[in-house]
Amino acid sequence: MAETTQPAEARTGRGHPLGRGSAALAGVAAVAAGLGLAELVAGVVPAAPSLVISVGDTVIDTVPGWLEQWAIATLGAADKPVLVGGILVLSVLIGAGLGVLARRFVLLAAAGIALFALLGVVAALADDRNPVFLTALVGLVGAAAGIAVLGWLVVGLPRRAVPEERGDPGPADPADPGTVPVLSEVDRRRFLAVTGGATLLGVLAGVGGYLLSGRDRLDGLRAAIRLPAPARQAGPVPPGATLEIPGITPLFTPNAEFYRIDTALRVPTVDPDGWQLEVRGMVDDPFALTYAELMELPQIEADVTLACVSNEVGGELVGNARWQGVPLRALLERAGLQEGATQLVGRSVDGFTAGFPTLTALDVEEAMVAVAMNGEPLPAEHGFPARLVVPGLYGYVSATKWLAAIELTGWDVDGYWIPRGWAKEGPIKTQTRIDVPRSGTTVPAARRPIAGVAWAPTRGIERVEVRIDDGPWQEAELAAPLDVDCWRQWYLPWDPAPGRHVIAARATDGLGEVQTDERTPVAPDGASGYPVVEVLVQD
């Protein structure tokens, strides 16, 4: 039998029918198809992990603490979408590069796609909660889809041959060194159609995987829950607790507008029917509660302001809500604390941990395992089915969402953020914020309020003062107090003169502590200083 030799053009890429730009598009389509189908499998198959989210989680866990601080301070709640978007953009660039590589070395490019999928699998398996078989299945589907699309677009399309000299169409004879393969007009259109179709398929599959990841079912389960009447209610809002001033922050932050800062790239979807809360560690009688059992325990209601330690002075990472849940003290008394159990560590279903002094859980009556927020079951973004709410502490040491376990430990155990450069203890500082007028705005020279909110959970707010330019401090009017654990609105009537003005504010808490003017960054234990706005007043 005569030996068949591969044409030089096929081995080297010389005269390949795809230009570099078209080959790059083929690589992008291949990666889109592979990632999309992998995400679809992750969404359809219970317990199968998302490789994109797994890579993102690995990035979050391995980047230096200062970079995490910068991301939160700069991007706020947008840090997660930006990270996921960056991973997808990098994937597109890698796909383009592999497409160009495939013009000369198609097998090497295919190996690159397989390696790309393998990296996602390794990232997913770093979380020991992900099943090995299902993780490998997701990676295999993604790699196979990507390789198939790339191979067909780069080497599988029909092609014709033309003489190198004249460029006239001739018989398709790739073994003839005097011809080069090209795509016909029909084949070129087919290439563009397949490329666009594969890319669109990948996008739709990825979106479908996200939509099928259990969120819709979770919303249905939440809607069916009937909250029990709390044994101790928070009571009605007293007259005068809410100021009717346009632009001021409302007394209660709507759930959809409540800030969200956590380490979860994709909100965990926890089925309450299969969930349980463990109370364990340095206790005499560890126990576990199902969701139904937790809901049957006596509950309290409390109005509590939560704040993120990454909130800049005058920032938006703070919110107030009416929470309902089971007092932590009751759970700890049932478990029985052992000597040396000086820290309560909340453990999330996604592996996050946060710890605070056990005495806080015992002394602060409103510290709770919350199951409801502003009169409805916890939203998924805010910890459904249960989370910790601890007045007076920043969220990074206390506000464990998607709670799976309460573990009593010694003080030597560190929560997630402590090795990353944040302080071991995180009491919320006395703070205020100017909501109106907004900094950088232009306002007419007419009477108007300067207004905002102030907070010092567990201590309450006794006074807010405002300074305009270099004038004296003027005491603002406070709204009626709701609870020492939540913020108070305030305002000061102002008759501004034309020109540019600088406005500052400071609060005094219930213990007489005045908000400091010393400006400090958010790390390691929260920002401090006066909030300042600058406005232009015109006739």
mmCIF file with all atom_site columns, all heavy atoms in Angstrom, residues 295-306:
data_model
loop_
_atom_site.group_PDB
_atom_site.id
_atom_site.type_symbol
_atom_site.label_atom_id
_atom_site.label_alt_id
_atom_site.label_comp_id
_atom_site.label_asym_id
_atom_site.label_entity_id
_atom_site.label_seq_id
_atom_site.pdbx_PDB_ins_code
_atom_site.Cartn_x
_atom_site.Cartn_y
_atom_site.Cartn_z
_atom_site.occupancy
_atom_site.B_iso_or_equiv
_atom_site.pdbx_formal_charge
_atom_site.auth_seq_id
_atom_site.auth_comp_id
_atom_site.auth_asym_id
_atom_site.auth_atom_id
_atom_site.pdbx_PDB_model_num
ATOM 1  N N   . MET A 1 295 ? -37.883 26.953 63.186 1.00 0.00 ? 295 MET A N   1
ATOM 2  C CA  . MET A 1 295 ? -39.029 27.851 63.076 1.00 0.00 ? 295 MET A CA  1
ATOM 3  C C   . MET A 1 295 ? -40.025 27.660 64.219 1.00 0.00 ? 295 MET A C   1
ATOM 4  O O   . MET A 1 295 ? -40.820 28.557 64.516 1.00 0.00 ? 295 MET A O   1
ATOM 5  C CB  . MET A 1 295 ? -39.729 27.646 61.742 1.00 0.00 ? 295 MET A CB  1
ATOM 6  C CG  . MET A 1 295 ? -38.885 28.001 60.535 1.00 0.00 ? 295 MET A CG  1
ATOM 7  S SD  . MET A 1 295 ? -38.526 29.766 60.427 1.00 0.00 ? 295 MET A SD  1
ATOM 8  C CE  . MET A 1 295 ? -40.036 30.368 59.670 1.00 0.00 ? 295 MET A CE  1
ATOM 9  N N   . GLU A 1 296 ? -40.003 26.510 64.871 1.00 0.00 ? 296 GLU A N   1
ATOM 10 C CA  . GLU A 1 296 ? -40.921 26.252 65.975 1.00 0.00 ? 296 GLU A CA  1
ATOM 11 C C   . GLU A 1 296 ? -40.443 26.851 67.299 1.00 0.00 ? 296 GLU A C   1
ATOM 12 O O   . GLU A 1 296 ? -41.227 26.976 68.249 1.00 0.00 ? 296 GLU A O   1
ATOM 13 C CB  . GLU A 1 296 ? -41.111 24.741 66.153 1.00 0.00 ? 296 GLU A CB  1
ATOM 14 C CG  . GLU A 1 296 ? -41.909 24.093 65.022 1.00 0.00 ? 296 GLU A CG  1
ATOM 15 C CD  . GLU A 1 296 ? -41.936 22.579 65.130 1.00 0.00 ? 296 GLU A CD  1
ATOM 16 O OE1 . GLU A 1 296 ? -41.255 22.042 66.043 1.00 0.00 ? 296 GLU A OE1 1
ATOM 17 O OE2 . GLU A 1 296 ? -42.605 21.929 64.307 1.00 0.00 ? 296 GLU A OE2 1
ATOM 18 N N   . LEU A 1 297 ? -39.177 27.241 67.380 1.00 0.00 ? 297 LEU A N   1
ATOM 19 C CA  . LEU A 1 297 ? -38.654 27.811 68.620 1.00 0.00 ? 297 LEU A CA  1
ATOM 20 C C   . LEU A 1 297 ? -39.164 29.238 68.802 1.00 0.00 ? 297 LEU A C   1
ATOM 21 O O   . LEU A 1 297 ? -39.460 29.935 67.832 1.00 0.00 ? 297 LEU A O   1
ATOM 22 C CB  . LEU A 1 297 ? -37.125 27.801 68.593 1.00 0.00 ? 297 LEU A CB  1
ATOM 23 C CG  . LEU A 1 297 ? -36.450 26.429 68.546 1.00 0.00 ? 297 LEU A CG  1
ATOM 24 C CD1 . LEU A 1 297 ? -34.934 26.589 68.481 1.00 0.00 ? 297 LEU A CD1 1
ATOM 25 C CD2 . LEU A 1 297 ? -36.843 25.597 69.763 1.00 0.00 ? 297 LEU A CD2 1
ATOM 26 N N   . PRO A 1 298 ? -39.268 29.705 70.052 1.00 0.00 ? 298 PRO A N   1
ATOM 27 C CA  . PRO A 1 298 ? -39.690 31.091 70.290 1.00 0.00 ? 298 PRO A CA  1
ATOM 28 C C   . PRO A 1 298 ? -38.752 32.080 69.601 1.00 0.00 ? 298 PRO A C   1
ATOM 29 O O   . PRO A 1 298 ? -37.520 31.937 69.677 1.00 0.00 ? 298 PRO A O   1
ATOM 30 C CB  . PRO A 1 298 ? -39.618 31.220 71.814 1.00 0.00 ? 298 PRO A CB  1
ATOM 31 C CG  . PRO A 1 298 ? -39.737 29.820 72.319 1.00 0.00 ? 298 PRO A CG  1
ATOM 32 C CD  . PRO A 1 298 ? -39.062 28.956 71.305 1.00 0.00 ? 298 PRO A CD  1
ATOM 33 N N   . GLN A 1 299 ? -39.343 33.075 68.946 1.00 0.00 ? 299 GLN A N   1
ATOM 34 C CA  . GLN A 1 299 ? -38.559 34.032 68.165 1.00 0.00 ? 299 GLN A CA  1
ATOM 35 C C   . GLN A 1 299 ? -38.764 35.464 68.677 1.00 0.00 ? 299 GLN A C   1
ATOM 36 O O   . GLN A 1 299 ? -39.760 35.763 69.332 1.00 0.00 ? 299 GLN A O   1
ATOM 37 C CB  . GLN A 1 299 ? -38.940 33.952 66.688 1.00 0.00 ? 299 GLN A CB  1
ATOM 38 C CG  . GLN A 1 299 ? -38.644 32.596 66.057 1.00 0.00 ? 299 GLN A CG  1
ATOM 39 C CD  . GLN A 1 299 ? -38.942 32.555 64.578 1.00 0.00 ? 299 GLN A CD  1
ATOM 40 O OE1 . GLN A 1 299 ? -39.205 33.568 63.939 1.00 0.00 ? 299 GLN A OE1 1
ATOM 41 N NE2 . GLN A 1 299 ? -38.896 31.351 63.996 1.00 0.00 ? 299 GLN A NE2 1
ATOM 42 N N   . ILE A 1 300 ? -37.798 36.288 68.351 1.00 0.00 ? 300 ILE A N   1
ATOM 43 C CA  . ILE A 1 300 ? -37.878 37.707 68.696 1.00 0.00 ? 300 ILE A CA  1
ATOM 44 C C   . ILE A 1 300 ? -37.802 38.529 67.424 1.00 0.00 ? 300 ILE A C   1
ATOM 45 O O   . ILE A 1 300 ? -37.418 38.028 66.360 1.00 0.00 ? 300 ILE A O   1
ATOM 46 C CB  . ILE A 1 300 ? -36.743 38.135 69.652 1.00 0.00 ? 300 ILE A CB  1
ATOM 47 C CG1 . ILE A 1 300 ? -35.373 37.905 68.968 1.00 0.00 ? 300 ILE A CG1 1
ATOM 48 C CG2 . ILE A 1 300 ? -36.837 37.388 70.973 1.00 0.00 ? 300 ILE A CG2 1
ATOM 49 C CD1 . ILE A 1 300 ? -34.203 38.479 69.757 1.00 0.00 ? 300 ILE A CD1 1
ATOM 50 N N   . GLU A 1 301 ? -38.156 39.787 67.545 1.00 0.00 ? 301 GLU A N   1
ATOM 51 C CA  . GLU A 1 301 ? -38.080 40.735 66.435 1.00 0.00 ? 301 GLU A CA  1
ATOM 52 C C   . GLU A 1 301 ? -37.245 41.909 66.926 1.00 0.00 ? 301 GLU A C   1
ATOM 53 O O   . GLU A 1 301 ? -37.388 42.341 68.077 1.00 0.00 ? 301 GLU A O   1
ATOM 54 C CB  . GLU A 1 301 ? -39.498 41.196 66.086 1.00 0.00 ? 301 GLU A CB  1
ATOM 55 C CG  . GLU A 1 301 ? -39.711 41.622 64.665 1.00 0.00 ? 301 GLU A CG  1
ATOM 56 C CD  . GLU A 1 301 ? -41.175 41.929 64.414 1.00 0.00 ? 301 GLU A CD  1
ATOM 57 O OE1 . GLU A 1 301 ? -41.824 42.542 65.283 1.00 0.00 ? 301 GLU A OE1 1
ATOM 58 O OE2 . GLU A 1 301 ? -41.678 41.556 63.343 1.00 0.00 ? 301 GLU A OE2 1
ATOM 59 N N   . ALA A 1 302 ? -36.375 42.441 66.083 1.00 0.00 ? 302 ALA A N   1
ATOM 60 C CA  . ALA A 1 302 ? -35.516 43.548 66.496 1.00 0.00 ? 302 ALA A CA  1
ATOM 61 C C   . ALA A 1 302 ? -35.144 44.401 65.290 1.00 0.00 ? 302 ALA A C   1
ATOM 62 O O   . ALA A 1 302 ? -34.936 43.878 64.193 1.00 0.00 ? 302 ALA A O   1
ATOM 63 C CB  . ALA A 1 302 ? -34.252 43.026 67.183 1.00 0.00 ? 302 ALA A CB  1
ATOM 64 N N   . ASP A 1 303 ? -35.073 45.690 65.509 1.00 0.00 ? 303 ASP A N   1
ATOM 65 C CA  . ASP A 1 303 ? -34.636 46.637 64.481 1.00 0.00 ? 303 ASP A CA  1
ATOM 66 C C   . ASP A 1 303 ? -33.148 46.867 64.667 1.00 0.00 ? 303 ASP A C   1
ATOM 67 O O   . ASP A 1 303 ? -32.726 47.427 65.695 1.00 0.00 ? 303 ASP A O   1
ATOM 68 C CB  . ASP A 1 303 ? -35.409 47.951 64.597 1.00 0.00 ? 303 ASP A CB  1
ATOM 69 C CG  . ASP A 1 303 ? -36.914 47.752 64.457 1.00 0.00 ? 303 ASP A CG  1
ATOM 70 O OD1 . ASP A 1 303 ? -37.309 46.924 63.621 1.00 0.00 ? 303 ASP A OD1 1
ATOM 71 O OD2 . ASP A 1 303 ? -37.680 48.431 65.164 1.00 0.00 ? 303 ASP A OD2 1
ATOM 72 N N   . VAL A 1 304 ? -32.356 46.435 63.695 1.00 0.00 ? 304 VAL A N   1
ATOM 73 C CA  . VAL A 1 304 ? -30.897 46.435 63.843 1.00 0.00 ? 304 VAL A CA  1
ATOM 74 C C   . VAL A 1 304 ? -30.256 46.997 62.580 1.00 0.00 ? 304 VAL A C   1
ATOM 75 O O   . VAL A 1 304 ? -30.601 46.596 61.463 1.00 0.00 ? 304 VAL A O   1
ATOM 76 C CB  . VAL A 1 304 ? -30.357 45.015 64.102 1.00 0.00 ? 304 VAL A CB  1
ATOM 77 C CG1 . VAL A 1 304 ? -28.830 45.041 64.233 1.00 0.00 ? 304 VAL A CG1 1
ATOM 78 C CG2 . VAL A 1 304 ? -30.992 44.410 65.349 1.00 0.00 ? 304 VAL A CG2 1
ATOM 79 N N   . THR A 1 305 ? -29.315 47.906 62.774 1.00 0.00 ? 305 THR A N   1
ATOM 80 C CA  . THR A 1 305 ? -28.505 48.435 61.679 1.00 0.00 ? 305 THR A CA  1
ATOM 81 C C   . THR A 1 305 ? -27.239 47.600 61.549 1.00 0.00 ? 305 THR A C   1
ATOM 82 O O   . THR A 1 305 ? -26.519 47.393 62.529 1.00 0.00 ? 305 THR A O   1
ATOM 83 C CB  . THR A 1 305 ? -28.131 49.908 61.936 1.00 0.00 ? 305 THR A CB  1
ATOM 84 O OG1 . THR A 1 305 ? -29.320 50.696 61.923 1.00 0.00 ? 305 THR A OG1 1
ATOM 85 C CG2 . THR A 1 305 ? -27.180 50.434 60.863 1.00 0.00 ? 305 THR A CG2 1
ATOM 86 N N   . LEU A 1 306 ? -26.983 47.112 60.332 1.00 0.00 ? 306 LEU A N   1
ATOM 87 C CA  . LEU A 1 306 ? -25.752 46.378 60.039 1.00 0.00 ? 306 LEU A CA  1
ATOM 88 C C   . LEU A 1 306 ? -24.840 47.247 59.188 1.00 0.00 ? 306 LEU A C   1
ATOM 89 O O   . LEU A 1 306 ? -25.314 48.039 58.362 1.00 0.00 ? 306 LEU A O   1
ATOM 90 C CB  . LEU A 1 306 ? -26.064 45.085 59.290 1.00 0.00 ? 306 LEU A CB  1
ATOM 91 C CG  . LEU A 1 306 ? -26.954 44.058 59.999 1.00 0.00 ? 306 LEU A CG  1
ATOM 92 C CD1 . LEU A 1 306 ? -27.070 42.797 59.146 1.00 0.00 ? 306 LEU A CD1 1
ATOM 93 C CD2 . LEU A 1 306 ? -26.423 43.726 61.389 1.00 0.00 ? 306 LEU A CD2 1
#
